[in-house]
Amino acid sequence: MTRVVGIQFKGSGKIYSFDCNGLEIAKGEAVVVETVRGKELGFAVKACYDAYEEDFSKELKPVLRIASEYDLERYRENIIKASEALKTCKELVDKHNLDMKVIDSSYTFDNAKLLFYFNAEGRIDFRDLVKDLASKYKTRIELRQIGVRDGAKLLGGLGPCGEELCCCRFLRDFENVTIRMAKDQGLSLTPAKISGMCGRLMCCLTYEQEVYEEKLETLPKLKEIVKTPEGEGKVVERYPIRDEVKVQIEKKDNFEYFVFKKEDIVFENKECKGKCACPHKNLEVDK
């Protein structure tokens, strides 16, 4: 067993595990740790807890110390200096006429490295830019290309719902979002209505997808012929959350549309295969 603490370096960023190194660290405390980028100051989002070493894929790096007031002051100074460096980098990008958008910048805690994060459509030859930055700041310069979703997470903003972006508040990892999810949920497929601030499909489409998939498995397929109190008809729309379907039924020379509850119609639920507990498993359907 070893004592482990969960450390976060940016708001809503990933939580990294570190060896407590004999220290008792409370939630919210600032600590200085050793990372692959060098020394960094982070904040404990999980207090020290016991864990098995084999639960981690690699050896945990240790917490060096609980941050002092001097460390916190240095941390705040680095944020100010990185903000000024960001402005300079944007000016140099314009000077070199580079097709890239610089999003954010940060210093490592020990000032050994200055990092810039940017978006770009393809590969960018920024060697001259790096030379200018290294000449000005006299430290190691690293430019890191990130995706548009990561860029939105760093910039922040409000989503179509009026709330702060999910990726800024609580999302630590991005899940795969597909157009199939929008179709399953009956949403408009207009790009402007299902895209987030980053221009990609909204992450919130994944939140209820599991429920929609479970509900849709118990409903008839689109265009399936079903028996209803009004006669046989074809399913033209499905409302999974309400357990309802809209059915097109031929009446004399016209088609009429009716909405029925799942329990009021008879259909062959091929997804069930006779093994589920849906209300239609014992119903007979004419072949």
Side-chain angles (χ1 to χ4, degrees), residues 83-124:
S83 177
E84 294 171 350
L86 179 62
K87 295 178 183 178
T88 301
C89 184
K90 289 180 177 179
E91 292 172 356
L92 290 172
V93 166
D94 291 338
K95 174 185 173 182
H96 291 287
N97 196 28
L98 297 174
D99 188 16
M100 57 189 286
K101 181 180 180 182
V102 185
I103 303 294
D104 196 16
S105 62
S106 65
Y107 269 103
T108 55
F109 181 71
D110 54 8
N111 290 156
K113 186 189 298 183
L114 176 56
L115 296 98
F116 294 94
Y117 303 89
F118 70 94
N119 287 145
E121 290 296 328
R123 299 188 65 177
I124 303 294

Side-chain angles (χ1 to χ4, degrees), residues 2-259:
T2 184
R3 296 285 285 172
V4 177
V5 62
I7 302 296
Q8 196 173 49
F9 299 101
K10 287 182 176 290
S12 76
K14 290 185 179 180
I15 298 176
Y16 298 90
S17 297
F18 288 85
D19 188 328
C20 289
N21 199 22
L23 300 170
E24 278 303 318
I25 303 165
K27 183 177 179 179
E29 277 194 294
V31 295
V32 178
V33 297
E34 186 70 44
T35 72
V36 292
R37 287 172 35 179
K39 292 181 180 179
E40 293 282 7
L41 186 143
F43 297 88
V45 292
K46 290 183 180 179
C48 289
Y49 62 95
D50 292 323
Y52 292 101
E53 294 181 7
E54 52 267 28
D55 291 341
F56 304 97
S57 58
K58 55 185 177 181
E59 185 178 355
L60 297 179
K61 291 185 175 294
V63 173
L64 300 179
R65 62 180 181 273
I66 294 176
S68 63
E69 189 56 42
Y70 172 79
D71 292 328
L72 291 171
E73 182 61 31
R74 185 175 185 179
Y75 175 74
R76 288 189 284 266
E77 288 177 356
N78 284 347
I79 292 176
I80 295 172
K81 290 194 299 181
S83 177
E84 294 171 350
L86 179 62
K87 295 178 183 178
T88 301
C89 184
K90 289 180 177 179
E91 292 172 356
L92 290 172
V93 166
D94 291 338
K95 174 185 173 182
H96 291 287
N97 196 28
L98 297 174
D99 188 16
M100 57 189 286
K101 181 180 180 182
V102 185
I103 303 294
D104 196 16
S105 62
S106 65
Y107 269 103
T108 55
F109 181 71
D110 54 8
N111 290 156
K113 186 189 298 183
L114 176 56
L115 296 98
F116 294 94
Y117 303 89
F118 70 94
N119 287 145
E121 290 296 328
R123 299 188 65 177
I124 303 294
D125 184 359
F126 45 67
R127 287 174 292 183
D128 291 336
L129 174 63
V130 171
K131 289 178 183 178
D132 289 348
L133 290 169
S135 175
K136 181 173 179 62
Y137 294 105
K138 309 299 182 184
T139 189
R140 183 180 173 187
I141 302 295
E142 182 177 325
L143 273 75
R144 188 171 297 175
Q145 187 170 358
I146 59 176
V148 289
R149 287 189 172 185
D150 292 297
K153 184 172 185 173
L154 289 174
L155 285 174
L158 299 178
C161 58
E163 296 283 344
E164 184 182 8
L165 298 179
C166 295
C167 55
C168 298
R169 283 189 295 162
F170 59 86
L171 282 184
R172 297 190 176 92
D173 296 297
F174 293 112
E175 294 186 31
N176 186 36
V177 187
T178 66
I179 197 69
R180 167 73 183 276
M181 295 178 179
K183 291 180 179 179
D184 286 348
Q185 296 172 35
L187 300 176
S188 167
L189 299 184
T190 305
K193 293 185 177 181
I194 56 175
S195 299
M197 296 297 291
C198 60
R200 298 292 189 267
L201 292 172
M202 294 187 294
C203 293
C204 55
L205 291 177
T206 64
Y207 298 168
E208 299 175 352
Q209 181 61 19
E210 185 176 349
V211 174
Y212 275 91
E213 289 177 353
E214 291 176 357
K215 291 281 189 178
L216 287 170
E217 283 183 356
T218 65
L219 292 175
K221 302 289 186 182
L222 288 174
K223 299 183 179 180
E224 184 175 340
I225 303 300
V226 298
K227 290 184 176 181
T228 78
E230 296 290 336
E232 283 194 353
K234 180 171 65 175
V235 176
V236 292
E237 287 186 37
R238 301 188 292 175
Y239 310 112
I241 299 302
R242 304 202 306 260
D243 281 331
E244 295 177 345
V245 294
K246 180 185 281 188
V247 181
Q248 180 192 69
I249 299 176
E250 187 174 1
K251 296 283 188 177
K252 296 182 179 179
D253 297 329
N254 297 316
F255 287 106
E256 294 185 18
Y257 297 86
F258 301 86
V259 176

